[in-house]
Amino acid sequence: MSFSDISIQELASAFMVLFAVIDITGAVPIINDIQNKGHKISAIKAALASYILLVAFLFVGDGLLNLFSVDISSFAVAGSLVIFVLAVEMIFGIPIFKNDGPSGTASIVPLVFPLIVGAGTLTTLLALRAEYHAINIIIALTLNIIVVYFVLKNVSLVEKVFGKGGVYILRKFLGIILLAISVKLFTSNLTSLIDIFK
């Protein structure tokens, strides 16, 4: 990993993918509901916890795959299917992923788990590793966590700026972007897997 690997195109693409998967703007109504129930949310605690976990998984994830003898291309294909399901959920409003995590403090559960650091985000990170240089993913992730912190710190302001209709439209638009990305990840990595077995 070096600064010479920085690519504006990769960085922008990774940022958009992670922004769509994390979907912090789409989670605004959920965050408001948590606060309305009297739970205190620490924006800095949630943002830092999410960042540390995601960066750690970005590097440790490969090792975990090796333990199970799974290559990155195979995981990327599996990841593309998870991203596809996330996209379907966002576009059609069909709840597929169940929030069955343990109860705890609001800043960690359900905010960090599973809203920010969910199965979709973790899968997407490793899927991106199959396509992009790590430094571009880290920069894109850092920028996304800054957005997450800003939204958590100013959740009422964000809802006022976008409005409920704006959040709804943005969620649908990002769903379509995710759908296209999942197809691209699936086809490119499936092709590389087929080439290995030729």
Side-chain angles (χ1 to χ4, degrees), residues 86-191:
L86 279 170
V88 169
E89 198 177 51
M90 291 169 75
I91 296 167
F92 299 106
I94 304 167
I96 299 170
F97 286 102
K98 185 181 176 185
N99 179 6
D100 55 0
S103 59
T105 57
S107 292
I108 304 301
V109 179
L111 197 52
V112 173
F113 292 107
L115 282 180
I116 300 170
V117 186
T121 313
L122 295 174
T123 306
T124 301
L125 272 180
L126 288 192
L128 288 173
R129 275 298 298 271
E131 297 285 315
Y132 305 140
H133 290 98
I135 192 165
N136 295 311
I137 301 171
I138 290 171
I139 295 170
L141 183 58
T142 304
L143 294 173
N144 266 287
I145 293 300
I146 291 169
V147 173
V148 166
Y149 171 77
F150 175 80
V151 171
L152 293 178
K153 194 75 175 172
N154 307 279
V155 66
S156 299
L157 176 64
V158 171
E159 192 169 42
K160 283 178 185 176
V161 170
F162 283 99
K164 288 185 178 179
V167 170
Y168 176 83
I169 292 166
L170 184 62
R171 187 176 174 83
K172 300 298 178 187
F173 172 74
L174 291 175
I176 294 168
I177 296 292
L178 271 188
L179 193 63
I181 289 163
S182 70
V183 171
K184 180 179 180 290
L185 271 174
F186 181 84
T187 52
S188 61
N189 285 282
L190 188 63
T191 303

